[in-house]
Amino acid sequence: MTGTRTRRTARAVAGCTLVLSAALAVTGPARASTSAVSCGDVLTTDTALTADLTCTGDALTIGADNLDLDLNGHAITGTGTGTALRIAGRAGTTVRNGVIDGFTYGAGIDDYMGVRPDVTLTDVRFRGAPIDARPAVLTISGTRDTCHLSGLRLIDGLLSIDRCTVTGQTVMVRATGSAVRDSALTGGSLTVSATDQGTFTRNVFDAFPMGLSADSRRNLVKTNVFKNAAASALGAGETFLPEDANIVELNLFTGNDIGLRSASMLRNLIVRKNVFSGNGTAGIFVENTWGPDRATPHPISGNVFVGNGHHPSGLVDGQHHVVQGGIHLSSRAALTPPITLQNNVGTGNAGYLIWAPPGTVADGGGNQGPCGPTPNADLTCW
């Protein structure tokens, strides 16, 4: 009897195992389609390219949510017109592992019926094919060898760029919470407008100036290298409340004409613990072009200036003084409150380490000279 029960149990287990195996075969993850893809196709299932694709005009349209497009090491190449990938109102789109080259737009991303698309681009190299997104959530990553961008414009969305090589004009408008990290940016520019709480860290900006507009607040610009900008490496506007201050700290500015420039007396901009080295005209140039009461309550503090001002461009401030050296401040009127300078030091700068006319600054102590113009009871330099 016991042997009969054992045989019946074994047969039952085997039968259950066969049923379970069949069920798993039916319900397992779907594989990407590897059928031939043609120019103009609308993709509605996960797709992996099996060959390069050359298109005149538009290439592919994403036609379903949660779709994965694996370029599979292949290239989608255009003839200088059209859009490589059209994505309108689709959630969960992923594109990875290949090249998109030679289109008016590498990706055209739009909302549809009020649905804002979210797109992840991993290890995709865009060449001569900028991205245009309005609005969208974009997550772009890879390595500096496998992730390339050749221009990007995002309006009303969220952007994350990690470990990429970026060229061309990059613009983000109303992109609060966005981030650019660990990337190499060269031969273009970055414009940040009406964007709050952005993070820009551990990047190299090489001949790639960054502009932080007056309506952008609480952004962090930290531990970057800004180099070889023909004009200003970083241009910063004002914010209107101290608690909304943008922070520029622990960066290296080197080989630019001017490291950091502001036309609004750094109003509510924190500049601290940066190094300015070998900038041709000046490390920092701050000019009050608006009138009185346009200054920051935050000190310019703990910055180091080495060898700046040895190749001045001939720029003069509004009071007809030549801009040259470490820090150059200029104002058409006395500031209330004045800018506090504290613990700024350096060596080997042409002209003055600090040029700050009376009425523009308050002495926070620890500043190294030479300082001008003299006499200036507002500033003591050692």
Side-chain angles (χ1 to χ4, degrees):
M1 181 67 95
T2 301
T4 302
R5 279 202 201 109
T6 301
R7 286 192 296 273
R8 287 175 179 169
T9 301
R11 285 195 296 271
V13 169
C16 289
T17 301
L18 288 173
V19 171
L20 178 60
S21 299
L24 289 173
V26 171
T27 62
R31 295 183 178 180
S33 170
T34 56
S35 58
V37 175
S38 301
C39 298
D41 281 357
V42 177
L43 306 181
T44 57
T45 61
D46 292 350
T47 301
L49 296 190
T50 58
D52 293 345
L53 192 64
T54 300
C55 301
T56 300
D58 294 351
L60 302 173
T61 297
I62 303 300
D65 292 341
N66 303 313
L67 188 145
D68 181 274
L69 172 58
D70 184 358
L71 301 179
N72 204 20
H74 294 292
I76 302 176
T77 303
T79 57
T81 63
T83 299
L85 301 175
R86 288 196 175 275
I87 306 169
R90 295 299 177 185
T93 300
T94 299
V95 183
R96 54 193 171 94
N97 188 28
V99 176
I100 294 176
D101 186 5
F103 290 87
T104 302
Y105 295 109
I109 305 169
D110 303 281
D111 65 343
Y112 180 73
M113 300 292 288
V115 177
R116 183 172 70 171
D118 63 272
V119 179
T120 299
L121 304 170
T122 305
D123 295 325
V124 180
R125 287 163 286 168
F126 290 87
R127 298 172 178 166
I131 296 171
D132 187 70
R134 55 176 78 194
V137 176
L138 294 180
T139 304
I140 306 171
S141 65
T143 70
R144 294 183 184 183
D145 292 329
T146 63
C147 175
H148 290 187
L149 300 176
S150 56
L152 183 150
R153 177 174 58 186
L154 173 68
I155 300 176
D156 294 318
L158 179 65
L159 172 65
S160 295
I161 300 175
D162 289 281
R163 301 176 303 279
C164 294
T165 296
V166 182
T167 62
Q169 310 306 309
T170 301
V171 178
M172 55 179 75
V173 180
R174 296 184 296 277
T176 291
S178 292
V180 181
R181 295 171 290 231
D182 300 300
S183 294
L185 302 94
T186 183
S189 64
L190 171 61
T191 301
V192 180
S193 178
T195 293
D196 298 346
Q197 297 177 296
T199 302
F200 307 89
T201 59
R202 302 183 301 275
N203 303 292
V204 177
F205 292 83
D206 187 354
F208 203 100
M210 176 179 176
L212 196 58
S213 75
D215 50 1
S216 294
R217 303 168 297 178
R218 302 187 299 280
N219 293 281
L220 177 64
V221 181
K222 182 176 180 179
T223 58
N224 303 285
V225 176
F226 291 89
K227 64 181 183 178
N228 301 326
S232 305
L234 175 60
E238 63 180 340
T239 60
F240 298 102
L241 297 173
E243 58 267 30
D244 289 335
N246 296 303
I247 299 175
V248 179
E249 66 179 357
L250 298 173
N251 302 284
L252 170 62
F253 295 84
T254 183
N256 310 288
D257 182 51
I258 296 173
L260 169 64
R261 183 170 183 174
S262 174
S264 55
M265 297 313 285
L266 300 182
R267 189 180 187 192
N268 299 321
L269 179 71
I270 297 172
V271 181
R272 64 192 178 198
K273 299 181 181 179
N274 302 282
V275 175
F276 297 84
S277 175
N279 298 288
T281 293
I284 297 177
F285 175 38
V286 180
E287 185 169 28
N288 179 17
T289 59
W290 300 98
D293 299 323
R294 294 280 178 172
T296 178
H298 307 287
I300 300 176
S301 64
N303 300 286
V304 176
F305 299 84
V306 179
N308 299 285
H310 287 279
H311 302 282
S313 63
L315 178 67
V316 296
D317 65 24
Q319 283 63 53
H320 310 293
H321 299 117
V322 174
V323 177
Q324 183 180 22
I327 301 174
H328 188 104
L329 305 182
S330 173
S331 178
R332 68 174 68 182
L335 300 175
T336 306
I339 296 175
T340 299
L341 300 181
Q342 184 176 17
N343 297 325
N344 297 288
V345 301
T347 185
N349 299 282
Y352 293 92
L353 175 62
I354 300 174
W355 174 274
T360 62
V361 295
D363 191 352
N367 296 297
Q368 185 176 345
C371 295
T374 57
N376 184 354
D378 298 333
L379 183 63
T380 300
C381 298
W382 56 272

